[in-house]
Amino acid sequence: MNLTRLVYYSQRNPSEDLDINSLIETCKRNNPRQNLTGLLHYNGDHFIQVIEGGRVEVSALYHRIARDPRHSNIILLSCTDVRERMFPTWSMALHQGMDSQTRKVFLRYFATDMMNPEAVNVDTLLDVLQDLMMETPTKLTISV
């Protein structure tokens, strides 16, 4: 089985209710059965998510997300086979908010703290997400 990493960006649909903790609990319950792992960054306005696992399982999850009315303007940033997982032990970690620490990490890599999903280098974005995990642990909720 090929190991696949998918990265997408979407905006939150403000007309739909969102309980982010319930969403993460659902991931915690469902993802281990599919051997899916990853990280979701949510700043209150947009999502950036990394999903890792088998190609079929990652594709199926992405298609469910793309149909989810809580998302709008979804942009697939990358979908590629990889040699190893970045998040091997997390059914789905959640990084929330855009406080001063998070902003500092974004500004290390981007000209502003607002990432342009149409122009972002995915490798740079993955570096940002890894730095957020290490440098802003109080903003991280880990589901194993």
Side-chain angles (χ1 to χ4, degrees):
M1 165 170 56
N2 287 346
L3 184 60
T4 299
R5 178 178 302 126
L6 182 144
V7 183
Y8 76 88
Y9 165 95
S10 70
Q11 293 176 324
R12 180 177 180 272
N13 181 349
S15 64
E16 293 289 327
D17 288 336
L18 173 65
D19 179 346
I20 195 74
N21 293 322
S22 175
L23 176 67
I24 292 300
E25 284 303 314
T26 299
C27 294
K28 185 177 180 178
R29 207 174 35 254
N30 294 335
N31 287 357
R33 287 182 275 191
Q34 300 293 318
N35 294 315
L36 294 169
T37 59
L39 172 76
L40 174 65
H41 168 72
Y42 174 61
N43 76 354
D45 179 50
H46 69 263
F47 303 92
I48 301 168
Q49 187 167 15
V50 179
I51 305 166
E52 301 170 321
R55 187 181 291 162
V56 170
E57 293 80 9
V58 168
S59 179
L61 178 57
Y62 176 72
H63 286 285
R64 280 194 307 276
I65 291 167
R67 291 188 305 267
D68 188 324
R70 295 174 290 192
H71 296 271
S72 65
N73 302 319
I74 192 165
I75 299 172
L76 178 62
L77 301 175
S78 172
C79 185
T80 186
D81 290 341
V82 295
R83 292 178 10 166
E84 65 182 321
R85 296 173 193 255
M86 291 180 79
F87 313 104
T89 60
W90 299 348
S91 60
M92 190 55 60
L94 170 66
H95 182 274
Q96 284 192 85
M98 184 57 88
D99 63 5
S100 62
Q101 255 186 314
T102 302
R103 187 168 282 108
K104 185 176 171 182
V105 172
F106 269 82
L107 290 173
R108 186 179 315 142
Y109 292 92
F110 302 121
T112 73
D113 60 4
M114 297 303 297
M115 182 203 73
N116 178 352
E118 295 179 11
V120 70
N121 175 295
V122 173
D123 290 331
T124 300
L125 180 58
L126 291 171
D127 288 343
V128 169
L129 295 173
Q130 285 187 311
D131 283 0
L132 286 174
M133 291 174 354
M134 295 188 330
E135 295 179 33
T136 62
T138 59
K139 293 286 188 181
L140 197 61
T141 304
I142 300 173
S143 298
V144 290

